[in-house]
Structures are given as structure tokens and as C-alpha cells.
């Protein structure tokens, strides 16, 4: 029978832990081969993502005779931009698109936020039906909805007007954003609402003064999605708007392509200018995008 003396026990306790071999791989540390493969994959993905944008940018700086060639730095010129701004109604199209996108963004954020808050906090008849309606409306492709929406807008006298486009884009943006905002509001403790009621605030006052400031990430995602929906949509804008003075950028770009050919220079220059507002909106909202989308996906 082996006995352990107190001295031996103390010596064992004070003995330093056995060190791992110096050449043992650390947990979580990539090997040189996997690290190299990861960096090569990231570089390849970056090149694939940047290549089309860079191609359009360089094409916009080439004369018409080199538009379809790879001579990107031969006779570089800004003629495409000057012709686009001076000889076409591009600024009119740009203004129409900016107006429609701004109205869609503001109304989309307001309607989606109030709808998401109401569904998240209150119980009312038809709540489940409303949620199913918001979900089902996202399942229909644009091609199926153009004709019925066109007939509705025609009966209301909203064809060929920015108001009709704004209403149409809200039917796209609000269902998705309302679902997302509901999930985001579900993550905000209800005790905050109760504290607002104790202080004498109405339900809308509680929403506006207490809850909405906490929902900035969700609002950023809603605003970005609503803006991009209105800014880049083509099918509805082409079907509902006619006349150079009423066209948005989506319809205006089609003027550069006809049955006889395409004006690649002005069209690529227009594409570069069109991308600038979308990039600016993304830069403003980017720090909230990941937080808002992940929070909105926690609870549905």
C-alpha cells in the first residue's frame, strides 16, 4: 500500500505544469499551406469582384472607336462624360431617380418601422394574417406583378408619375423590411416600453422617443434596402414611365441601346455616375448593416 506524505503532496502541487513541446502546433493557428490558400482565395475573390467595375470605369475613359477593345489607356479622354451631361437628358433622369429613391427610402423606413413595432409589441385581430401577407408577397416574381400593378396604377391615374413608382417600390421594400424590423424590435426589452408608459408617454411617443433611437442598425438596413430597391430597379421603371422628361435612370440607359448597336462609351460613363450615390449610401450605412441584419434574423 502506497502512502503519500504531506511533503510529497506539497512538492507535487508546487511542481510547474508540464510544458508542451516547442514544436507542437498551437490550437487555432493555421498552417502555412492553409494560410496561403486562404489568401489566394481572398485575392481571387477580390479580383472577380473588382474586375467588372474596373472594366466599366476604364471603358468610360476610352474613345468610341476603342470601346470594345482592350486598349484601355490609349487616348484616354473624358469626352464620354461631357457628351453624356451636355447632349443627353441624363441630369433629368438622375434627378427623377434621386427623387423617387429619396421618397421611397423615407416612406419605407417609416412604414416598415411602425409596422414592425406594432407586430412586435401589440396583439390585434388579423395579426397572423398580416404577417403571412407580408411573407407571401415576397414570393411573387416581378414579371407576374407588372400587369396587375400596371392596371391598378392606371386606374388611379398614377402612371408616368414619380408617385406611382414610389408606391410600387414600397410594395417591394416594405414587406421584407417590416419582417426584419419586427425581428429587431423583438430583441429590445419590453421593460423600456413599460418605463415610457409609466412616464406618461403614448405608444407612439414611446416608439418615437425610446425605441427608435435604439433601432439605428435596423433602420440603416431598411434605408439601404429601400434606396437600392428604388435606385436600381428596371422593370417597373421601364413599364410605367415614358418620355425623356419622366424617365428614371433605368429607363434612360436603354436609350443608349437600340437595334442598330450600342453606345458603350456614354452608357459606361452613365453607369459610373449612377454607382456613386449607391456607394455613398453604403458608406454611410455600412457600420450598421451587419448588426442590423443579424439582429433582425434572431427572432422572426
Amino acid at each position: 500500500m502506497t502512502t503519500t506524505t504531506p511533503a510529497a503532496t506539497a512538492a507535487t502541487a508546487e511542481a510547474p505544469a508540464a510544458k508542451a513541446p516547442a514544436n507542437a502546433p498551437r490550437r487555432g493557428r493555421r498552417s502555412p499551406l492553409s494560410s496561403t490558400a486562404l489568401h489566394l482565395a481572398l485575392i481571387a475573390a477580390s479580383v472577380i469582384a473588382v474586375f467588372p467595375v474596373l472594366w466599366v470605369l476604364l471603358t468610360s475613359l476610352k474613345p468610341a472607336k476603342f470601346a470594345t477593345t482592350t486598349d484601355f489607356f490609349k487616348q484616354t479622354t473624358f469626352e464620354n462624360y461631357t457628351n453624356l451631361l451636355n447632349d443627353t437628358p441624363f441630369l433629368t433622369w438622375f434627378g427623377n431617380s434621386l427623387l423617387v429613391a429619396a421618397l421611397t427610402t423615407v416612406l419605407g423606413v417609416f412604414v416598415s418601422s411602425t409596422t414592425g413595432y406594432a407586430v412586435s409589441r401589440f396583439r390585434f385581430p388579423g395579426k397572423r394574417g398580416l404577417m403571412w401577407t407580408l411573407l407571401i408577397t415576397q414570393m411573387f416574381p416581378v414579371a407576374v406583378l407588372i400587369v396587375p400593378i400596371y392596371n391598378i396604377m392606371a386606374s388611379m391615374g398614377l402612371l408616368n408619375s414619380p408617385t406611382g413608382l414610389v408606391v410600387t417600390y414600397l410594395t417591394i421594400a416594405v414587406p421584407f423590411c417590416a419582417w426584419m424590423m419586427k425581428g429587431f424590435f423583438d430583441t429590445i426589452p419590453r421593460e423600456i416600453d413599460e418605463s415610457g408608459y409609466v412616464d406618461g408617454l403614448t405608444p407612439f411617443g414611446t416608439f418615437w422617443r425610446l425605441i427608435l433611437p435604439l433601432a439605428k442598425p435596423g433602420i440603416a438596413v431598411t434605408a439601404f434596402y429601400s434606396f437600392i430597391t428604388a435606385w436600381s430597379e428596371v422593370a417597373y421603371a421601364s413599364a410605367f414611365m415614358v418620355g425623356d422628361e419622366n424617365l428614371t435612370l433605368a429607363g434612360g440607359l436603354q436609350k443608349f441601346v437600340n437595334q442598330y448597336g450600342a453606345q458603350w462609351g456614354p452608357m459606361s460613363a452613365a453607369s459610373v455616375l449612377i454607382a456613386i450615390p449607391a456607394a455613398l449610401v453604403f458608406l454611410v450605412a455600412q457600420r450598421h448593416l451587419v448588426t442590423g441584419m443579424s439582429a433582425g434574423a434572431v427572432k422572426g
Side-chain angles (χ1 to χ4, degrees):
M1 183 174 184
T2 305
T3 59
T4 303
T5 63
T9 304
T12 303
E14 294 177 358
K19 295 184 179 180
N23 58 351
R26 296 182 180 179
R27 181 175 298 178
R29 186 175 182 179
R30 301 189 189 93
S31 65
L33 182 60
S34 61
S35 180
T36 302
L38 176 62
H39 282 79
L40 290 177
L42 292 175
I43 292 173
S46 301
V47 171
I48 293 173
V50 173
F51 177 76
V53 179
L54 186 60
W55 185 284
V56 172
L57 176 62
L58 295 177
T59 300
S60 69
L61 298 174
K62 295 191 297 184
K65 59 183 179 180
F66 298 123
T68 57
T69 68
T70 57
D71 296 327
F72 292 113
F73 302 101
K74 192 172 184 178
Q75 300 182 17
T76 301
T77 178
F78 289 95
E79 182 179 357
N80 292 322
Y81 290 92
T82 57
N83 292 340
L84 177 70
L85 298 177
N86 297 329
D87 301 334
T88 69
F90 176 80
L91 293 178
T92 301
W93 305 336
F94 192 93
N96 293 339
S97 289
L98 198 60
L99 174 64
V100 171
L103 290 175
T104 302
T105 301
V106 173
L107 294 176
V109 169
F110 179 77
V111 175
S112 300
S113 300
T114 52
T115 302
Y117 180 75
V119 173
S120 173
R121 291 299 196 263
F122 305 120
R123 295 182 179 179
F124 52 88
K127 175 180 176 179
R128 183 177 296 274
L130 174 62
M131 296 304 295
W132 275 106
T133 301
L134 294 176
L135 182 63
I136 292 173
T137 54
Q138 302 178 57
M139 300 180 182
F140 293 95
V142 173
V144 175
L145 298 176
I146 286 182
V147 174
I149 293 179
Y150 183 93
N151 292 332
I152 294 173
M153 294 300 164
S155 65
M156 299 175 63
L158 295 178
L159 286 180
N160 209 32
S161 71
T163 303
L165 272 186
V166 171
V167 173
T168 302
Y169 293 152
L170 288 176
T171 64
I172 302 174
V174 168
F176 169 78
C177 294
W179 261 99
M180 186 196 63
M181 291 302 295
K182 177 203 177 293
F184 189 86
F185 288 132
D186 285 344
T187 64
I188 299 178
R190 293 178 180 268
E191 288 77 8
I192 297 178
D193 302 68
E194 296 172 359
S195 66
Y197 299 150
V198 171
D199 292 337
L201 294 176
T202 63
F204 184 80
T206 301
F207 162 75
W208 185 260
R209 298 180 62 179
L210 300 180
I211 304 301
L212 205 59
L214 300 176
K216 288 182 180 180
I219 293 173
V221 177
T222 299
F224 180 73
Y225 182 81
S226 300
F227 181 86
I228 294 300
T229 296
W231 188 255
S232 60
E233 200 280 327
V234 176
Y236 292 119
S238 302
F240 295 175
M241 310 297 283
V242 295
D244 286 345
E245 69 281 1
N246 297 319
L247 290 179
T248 59
L249 290 169
L253 284 181
Q254 298 183 28
K255 296 289 185 179
F256 298 119
V257 181
N258 54 48
Q259 59 182 336
Y260 302 108
Q263 303 177 48
W264 297 112
M267 188 162 60
S268 59
S271 300
V272 173
L273 296 179
I274 291 172
I276 293 176
L280 293 177
V281 172
F282 175 78
L283 290 176
V284 172
Q286 66 172 341
R287 65 191 184 99
H288 296 298
L289 289 180
V290 175
T291 303
M293 295 189 74
S294 59
V298 172
K299 294 182 180 181

mmCIF file with all atom_site columns, all heavy atoms in Angstrom, residues 240-253:
data_model
loop_
_atom_site.group_PDB
_atom_site.id
_atom_site.type_symbol
_atom_site.label_atom_id
_atom_site.label_alt_id
_atom_site.label_comp_id
_atom_site.label_asym_id
_atom_site.label_entity_id
_atom_site.label_seq_id
_atom_site.pdbx_PDB_ins_code
_atom_site.Cartn_x
_atom_site.Cartn_y
_atom_site.Cartn_z
_atom_site.occupancy
_atom_site.B_iso_or_equiv
_atom_site.pdbx_formal_charge
_atom_site.auth_seq_id
_atom_site.auth_comp_id
_atom_site.auth_asym_id
_atom_site.auth_atom_id
_atom_site.pdbx_PDB_model_num
ATOM 1  N N   . PHE A 1 240 ? -43.642 51.687 -66.575 1.00 0.00 ? 240 PHE A N   1
ATOM 2  C CA  . PHE A 1 240 ? -44.574 52.696 -66.083 1.00 0.00 ? 240 PHE A CA  1
ATOM 3  C C   . PHE A 1 240 ? -44.246 54.116 -66.540 1.00 0.00 ? 240 PHE A C   1
ATOM 4  O O   . PHE A 1 240 ? -45.092 54.997 -66.438 1.00 0.00 ? 240 PHE A O   1
ATOM 5  C CB  . PHE A 1 240 ? -44.604 52.692 -64.552 1.00 0.00 ? 240 PHE A CB  1
ATOM 6  C CG  . PHE A 1 240 ? -45.155 51.426 -63.959 1.00 0.00 ? 240 PHE A CG  1
ATOM 7  C CD1 . PHE A 1 240 ? -45.151 51.240 -62.600 1.00 0.00 ? 240 PHE A CD1 1
ATOM 8  C CD2 . PHE A 1 240 ? -45.674 50.411 -64.757 1.00 0.00 ? 240 PHE A CD2 1
ATOM 9  C CE1 . PHE A 1 240 ? -45.658 50.075 -62.042 1.00 0.00 ? 240 PHE A CE1 1
ATOM 10 C CE2 . PHE A 1 240 ? -46.177 49.242 -64.218 1.00 0.00 ? 240 PHE A CE2 1
ATOM 11 C CZ  . PHE A 1 240 ? -46.166 49.075 -62.853 1.00 0.00 ? 240 PHE A CZ  1
ATOM 12 N N   . MET A 1 241 ? -43.030 54.365 -67.010 1.00 0.00 ? 241 MET A N   1
ATOM 13 C CA  . MET A 1 241 ? -42.601 55.733 -67.326 1.00 0.00 ? 241 MET A CA  1
ATOM 14 C C   . MET A 1 241 ? -42.263 55.860 -68.811 1.00 0.00 ? 241 MET A C   1
ATOM 15 O O   . MET A 1 241 ? -41.573 54.993 -69.366 1.00 0.00 ? 241 MET A O   1
ATOM 16 C CB  . MET A 1 241 ? -41.376 56.124 -66.492 1.00 0.00 ? 241 MET A CB  1
ATOM 17 C CG  . MET A 1 241 ? -41.522 55.855 -64.997 1.00 0.00 ? 241 MET A CG  1
ATOM 18 S SD  . MET A 1 241 ? -42.831 56.810 -64.209 1.00 0.00 ? 241 MET A SD  1
ATOM 19 C CE  . MET A 1 241 ? -42.018 58.411 -64.101 1.00 0.00 ? 241 MET A CE  1
ATOM 20 N N   . VAL A 1 242 ? -42.738 56.935 -69.436 1.00 0.00 ? 242 VAL A N   1
ATOM 21 C CA  . VAL A 1 242 ? -42.418 57.236 -70.834 1.00 0.00 ? 242 VAL A CA  1
ATOM 22 C C   . VAL A 1 242 ? -42.107 58.722 -70.938 1.00 0.00 ? 242 VAL A C   1
ATOM 23 O O   . VAL A 1 242 ? -42.529 59.523 -70.106 1.00 0.00 ? 242 VAL A O   1
ATOM 24 C CB  . VAL A 1 242 ? -43.590 56.870 -71.771 1.00 0.00 ? 242 VAL A CB  1
ATOM 25 C CG1 . VAL A 1 242 ? -43.837 55.382 -71.784 1.00 0.00 ? 242 VAL A CG1 1
ATOM 26 C CG2 . VAL A 1 242 ? -44.860 57.617 -71.370 1.00 0.00 ? 242 VAL A CG2 1
ATOM 27 N N   . GLY A 1 243 ? -41.369 59.073 -72.015 1.00 0.00 ? 243 GLY A N   1
ATOM 28 C CA  . GLY A 1 243 ? -40.994 60.467 -72.204 1.00 0.00 ? 243 GLY A CA  1
ATOM 29 C C   . GLY A 1 243 ? -39.696 60.794 -71.494 1.00 0.00 ? 243 GLY A C   1
ATOM 30 O O   . GLY A 1 243 ? -39.514 60.431 -70.326 1.00 0.00 ? 243 GLY A O   1
ATOM 31 N N   . ASP A 1 244 ? -38.785 61.459 -72.190 1.00 0.00 ? 244 ASP A N   1
ATOM 32 C CA  . ASP A 1 244 ? -37.471 61.747 -71.622 1.00 0.00 ? 244 ASP A CA  1
ATOM 33 C C   . ASP A 1 244 ? -37.555 62.545 -70.323 1.00 0.00 ? 244 ASP A C   1
ATOM 34 O O   . ASP A 1 244 ? -36.711 62.390 -69.438 1.00 0.00 ? 244 ASP A O   1
ATOM 35 C CB  . ASP A 1 244 ? -36.621 62.528 -72.637 1.00 0.00 ? 244 ASP A CB  1
ATOM 36 C CG  . ASP A 1 244 ? -36.130 61.642 -73.769 1.00 0.00 ? 244 ASP A CG  1
ATOM 37 O OD1 . ASP A 1 244 ? -36.200 60.398 -73.615 1.00 0.00 ? 244 ASP A OD1 1
ATOM 38 O OD2 . ASP A 1 244 ? -35.703 62.179 -74.810 1.00 0.00 ? 244 ASP A OD2 1
ATOM 39 N N   . GLU A 1 245 ? -38.552 63.408 -70.196 1.00 0.00 ? 245 GLU A N   1
ATOM 40 C CA  . GLU A 1 245 ? -38.645 64.251 -69.005 1.00 0.00 ? 245 GLU A CA  1
ATOM 41 C C   . GLU A 1 245 ? -39.143 63.472 -67.785 1.00 0.00 ? 245 GLU A C   1
ATOM 42 O O   . GLU A 1 245 ? -39.028 63.957 -66.659 1.00 0.00 ? 245 GLU A O   1
ATOM 43 C CB  . GLU A 1 245 ? -39.571 65.444 -69.264 1.00 0.00 ? 245 GLU A CB  1
ATOM 44 C CG  . GLU A 1 245 ? -41.048 65.108 -69.420 1.00 0.00 ? 245 GLU A CG  1
ATOM 45 C CD  . GLU A 1 245 ? -41.389 64.570 -70.805 1.00 0.00 ? 245 GLU A CD  1
ATOM 46 O OE1 . GLU A 1 245 ? -40.467 64.451 -71.637 1.00 0.00 ? 245 GLU A OE1 1
ATOM 47 O OE2 . GLU A 1 245 ? -42.572 64.283 -71.037 1.00 0.00 ? 245 GLU A OE2 1
ATOM 48 N N   . ASN A 1 246 ? -39.689 62.274 -67.986 1.00 0.00 ? 246 ASN A N   1
ATOM 49 C CA  . ASN A 1 246 ? -40.226 61.479 -66.881 1.00 0.00 ? 246 ASN A CA  1
ATOM 50 C C   . ASN A 1 246 ? -39.405 60.241 -66.566 1.00 0.00 ? 246 ASN A C   1
ATOM 51 O O   . ASN A 1 246 ? -39.620 59.612 -65.528 1.00 0.00 ? 246 ASN A O   1
ATOM 52 C CB  . ASN A 1 246 ? -41.662 61.039 -67.186 1.00 0.00 ? 246 ASN A CB  1
ATOM 53 C CG  . ASN A 1 246 ? -42.611 62.209 -67.329 1.00 0.00 ? 246 ASN A CG  1
ATOM 54 O OD1 . ASN A 1 246 ? -42.541 63.178 -66.573 1.00 0.00 ? 246 ASN A OD1 1
ATOM 55 N ND2 . ASN A 1 246 ? -43.498 62.137 -68.305 1.00 0.00 ? 246 ASN A ND2 1
ATOM 56 N N   . LEU A 1 247 ? -38.484 59.880 -67.436 1.00 0.00 ? 247 LEU A N   1
ATOM 57 C CA  . LEU A 1 247 ? -37.719 58.646 -67.254 1.00 0.00 ? 247 LEU A CA  1
ATOM 58 C C   . LEU A 1 247 ? -36.798 58.735 -66.045 1.00 0.00 ? 247 LEU A C   1
ATOM 59 O O   . LEU A 1 247 ? -36.293 59.806 -65.695 1.00 0.00 ? 247 LEU A O   1
ATOM 60 C CB  . LEU A 1 247 ? -36.880 58.337 -68.494 1.00 0.00 ? 247 LEU A CB  1
ATOM 61 C CG  . LEU A 1 247 ? -37.616 57.906 -69.761 1.00 0.00 ? 247 LEU A CG  1
ATOM 62 C CD1 . LEU A 1 247 ? -36.632 57.676 -70.885 1.00 0.00 ? 247 LEU A CD1 1
ATOM 63 C CD2 . LEU A 1 247 ? -38.437 56.646 -69.509 1.00 0.00 ? 247 LEU A CD2 1
ATOM 64 N N   . THR A 1 248 ? -36.597 57.596 -65.431 1.00 0.00 ? 248 THR A N   1
ATOM 65 C CA  . THR A 1 248 ? -35.544 57.477 -64.426 1.00 0.00 ? 248 THR A CA  1
ATOM 66 C C   . THR A 1 248 ? -34.290 56.924 -65.098 1.00 0.00 ? 248 THR A C   1
ATOM 67 O O   . THR A 1 248 ? -34.267 56.675 -66.304 1.00 0.00 ? 248 THR A O   1
ATOM 68 C CB  . THR A 1 248 ? -35.991 56.539 -63.286 1.00 0.00 ? 248 THR A CB  1
ATOM 69 O OG1 . THR A 1 248 ? -36.284 55.248 -63.832 1.00 0.00 ? 248 THR A OG1 1
ATOM 70 C CG2 . THR A 1 248 ? -37.233 57.086 -62.590 1.00 0.00 ? 248 THR A CG2 1
ATOM 71 N N   . LEU A 1 249 ? -33.253 56.728 -64.325 1.00 0.00 ? 249 LEU A N   1
ATOM 72 C CA  . LEU A 1 249 ? -32.001 56.257 -64.912 1.00 0.00 ? 249 LEU A CA  1
ATOM 73 C C   . LEU A 1 249 ? -32.151 54.876 -65.541 1.00 0.00 ? 249 LEU A C   1
ATOM 74 O O   . LEU A 1 249 ? -31.509 54.585 -66.549 1.00 0.00 ? 249 LEU A O   1
ATOM 75 C CB  . LEU A 1 249 ? -30.922 56.221 -63.833 1.00 0.00 ? 249 LEU A CB  1
ATOM 76 C CG  . LEU A 1 249 ? -30.435 57.593 -63.342 1.00 0.00 ? 249 LEU A CG  1
ATOM 77 C CD1 . LEU A 1 249 ? -29.583 57.438 -62.096 1.00 0.00 ? 249 LEU A CD1 1
ATOM 78 C CD2 . LEU A 1 249 ? -29.660 58.311 -64.433 1.00 0.00 ? 249 LEU A CD2 1
ATOM 79 N N   . ALA A 1 250 ? -32.995 54.029 -64.950 1.00 0.00 ? 250 ALA A N   1
ATOM 80 C CA  . ALA A 1 250 ? -33.182 52.689 -65.502 1.00 0.00 ? 250 ALA A CA  1
ATOM 81 C C   . ALA A 1 250 ? -33.727 52.749 -66.918 1.00 0.00 ? 250 ALA A C   1
ATOM 82 O O   . ALA A 1 250 ? -33.269 52.026 -67.817 1.00 0.00 ? 250 ALA A O   1
ATOM 83 C CB  . ALA A 1 250 ? -34.122 51.890 -64.610 1.00 0.00 ? 250 ALA A CB  1
ATOM 84 N N   . GLY A 1 251 ? -34.710 53.607 -67.148 1.00 0.00 ? 251 GLY A N   1
ATOM 85 C CA  . GLY A 1 251 ? -35.262 53.750 -68.485 1.00 0.00 ? 251 GLY A CA  1
ATOM 86 C C   . GLY A 1 251 ? -34.358 54.544 -69.400 1.00 0.00 ? 251 GLY A C   1
ATOM 87 O O   . GLY A 1 251 ? -34.292 54.289 -70.611 1.00 0.00 ? 251 GLY A O   1
ATOM 88 N N   . GLY A 1 252 ? -33.647 55.515 -68.837 1.00 0.00 ? 252 GLY A N   1
ATOM 89 C CA  . GLY A 1 252 ? -32.774 56.347 -69.655 1.00 0.00 ? 252 GLY A CA  1
ATOM 90 C C   . GLY A 1 252 ? -31.618 55.588 -70.254 1.00 0.00 ? 252 GLY A C   1
ATOM 91 O O   . GLY A 1 252 ? -31.218 55.829 -71.400 1.00 0.00 ? 252 GLY A O   1
ATOM 92 N N   . LEU A 1 253 ? -31.063 54.649 -69.507 1.00 0.00 ? 253 LEU A N   1
ATOM 93 C CA  . LEU A 1 253 ? -29.938 53.876 -70.026 1.00 0.00 ? 253 LEU A CA  1
ATOM 94 C C   . LEU A 1 253 ? -30.312 53.062 -71.256 1.00 0.00 ? 253 LEU A C   1
ATOM 95 O O   . LEU A 1 253 ? -29.461 52.775 -72.100 1.00 0.00 ? 253 LEU A O   1
ATOM 96 C CB  . LEU A 1 253 ? -29.394 52.948 -68.942 1.00 0.00 ? 253 LEU A CB  1
ATOM 97 C CG  . LEU A 1 253 ? -28.533 53.584 -67.847 1.00 0.00 ? 253 LEU A CG  1
ATOM 98 C CD1 . LEU A 1 253 ? -28.050 52.530 -66.875 1.00 0.00 ? 253 LEU A CD1 1
ATOM 99 C CD2 . LEU A 1 253 ? -27.351 54.332 -68.440 1.00 0.00 ? 253 LEU A CD2 1
#
